[in-house]
Amino acid sequence: MRILWRPSGFLRRLLQVESYRITESESLIPLDWTSLIQKPGRAPGIFLLDQRKRFSTMPEIDLSQVMIDKNPGITSAVNKINNIDNTYRNFQMEVLSGEENMITKVRENSYTYEFDFSKVYWNPRLSTEHSRITEFFKPGDVLFDVFAGVGPFAIPVAKKNCTVFANDLNPESHKWLLHNCKLNKVDQKVKVFNLDGKDFLQGPVREELMQQLGRLSKERTHSVHIVMNLPAKAIEFLSAFKSLLDGQSCGSELLPIVHCYSFSKDANPAKDVQQRAEAVLGTSLDACSSVHLVRNVAPNKEMLCITFRIPAVILYKNQILNLEKHEEPPLKRQRTDKSFSKENTQIV
């Protein structure tokens, strides 16, 4: 199945229709399309038309049927009629021609995913980013995937013999995530949840981190990663890490690593994303973060990923005093160093 995402233009003229085929080098249609997608048992497809009103001078419904008639891999032509919903990350579509069944199968980076394209979030433009994050993991590592979708981060990481906790609020995504874990034979390595992101962080993630970073932390050699791929809102969820854990903090090299995605329209998008993350956390990330440009979403709008270790002063309740002292003016901090040390010793 071929899916054409957000085409920027239509056929300028319908010439030689009888021999027309979609090819990657075709100059008359937009070339922004993903690789082959298949439905179980055969090879149908969806032709996604966007920004329909811009092309009202052309017989769009006829063009959609042409695409189906002349390309065996396409069985449906649909029009995107609203933006992605921030709650369940899907959008409404109207079928212009062909089948109304949107259940599809896609191969990405050697893994197979099946889902209902009309009810879940899927973006083939993130294939490279899925691979980039997967490369951080080695066998034995732990992943908490807060907004897992149908599994494009969780499944490749689980295949590397890692332990994965994957969550999505969308019931349809949760259903297909369970299905895809079985399909890719990693269902024994992935624990799947259907919770709000904050509830997932303050519930299952907190409980597991207390074990991972607890008494045996000195003997632990594996890394813990938290992926938050909800660019429109993920930074807001960083507040869930504040005072999340009790007890003594572990060594800084054992603290969880967060990969948090966000959009930015700022002239300096990397700085903008870092500053917004710092504002939510209430601390500087200068010494422990990096920002990666994922892709250009639209003119003057970028998608980025900020990666950082959660500072102990944020993650642990008994580190709040340290953070407050750190934020005091330099002269006041110098006068209270001794008393601070005593107070800190009493807390410990």
Side-chain angles (χ1 to χ4, degrees), residues 198-211:
K198 184 177 181 180
D199 294 335
F200 177 62
L201 289 168
Q202 295 182 338
V205 174
R206 180 186 182 278
E207 293 173 6
E208 187 64 22
L209 284 179
M210 288 295 293
Q211 297 182 31

Side-chain angles (χ1 to χ4, degrees), residues 201-235:
L201 289 168
Q202 295 182 338
V205 174
R206 180 186 182 278
E207 293 173 6
E208 187 64 22
L209 284 179
M210 288 295 293
Q211 297 182 31
Q212 293 286 335
L213 307 180
R215 291 175 299 175
L216 300 179
S217 61
K218 292 183 179 179
E219 303 173 9
R220 184 170 63 84
T221 59
H222 61 266
S223 299
V224 176
H225 296 257
I226 303 173
V227 172
M228 305 174 69
N229 183 24
L230 186 66
K233 289 188 173 184
I235 283 182

Side-chain angles (χ1 to χ4, degrees), residues 27 39 48 120 129 157 160 174 248 264:
S27 62
K39 266 188 194 172
L48 179 60
V120 305
E129 182 63 12
V157 170
K160 298 185 75 171
H174 176 259
Q248 290 295 313
S264 177

Side-chain angles (χ1 to χ4, degrees), residues 9 31 33 104 134 171 178 184 198 203 229 234 240 243 260 268 280 306 333 344:
L31 303 183
W33 53 280
T104 64
T134 302
L178 286 168
N184 290 275
K198 184 177 181 180
N229 183 24
S243 301
C260 181
N268 188 338
V280 173
I306 181 169
R333 184 170 64 248
N344 191 46

Side-chain angles (χ1 to χ4, degrees), residues 147 196-198 201 228 230 233-241:
F147 313 105
D196 176 78
K198 184 177 181 180
L201 289 168
M228 305 174 69
L230 186 66
K233 289 188 173 184
I235 283 182
E236 300 173 17
F237 287 81
L238 294 178
S239 62
F241 293 120

Side-chain angles (χ1 to χ4, degrees), residues 282-300:
T283 191
S284 172
L285 297 175
D286 280 340
C288 61
S289 69
S290 63
V291 179
H292 173 76
L293 176 62
V294 177
R295 68 186 186 95
N296 176 258
V297 177
N300 302 316

Side-chain angles (χ1 to χ4, degrees), residues 119 130 208 211 224 232 255 259 277 317:
K119 296 181 180 179
H130 297 153
E208 187 64 22
Q211 297 182 31
V224 176
L255 291 167
H259 310 275
K317 291 180 181 178

Side-chain angles (χ1 to χ4, degrees), residues 14 59-67 69 97:
L14 294 176
E60 182 176 343
I61 192 71
D62 294 336
L63 176 59
S64 65
Q65 189 60 52
V66 168
M67 294 300 170
D69 291 343
S97 298

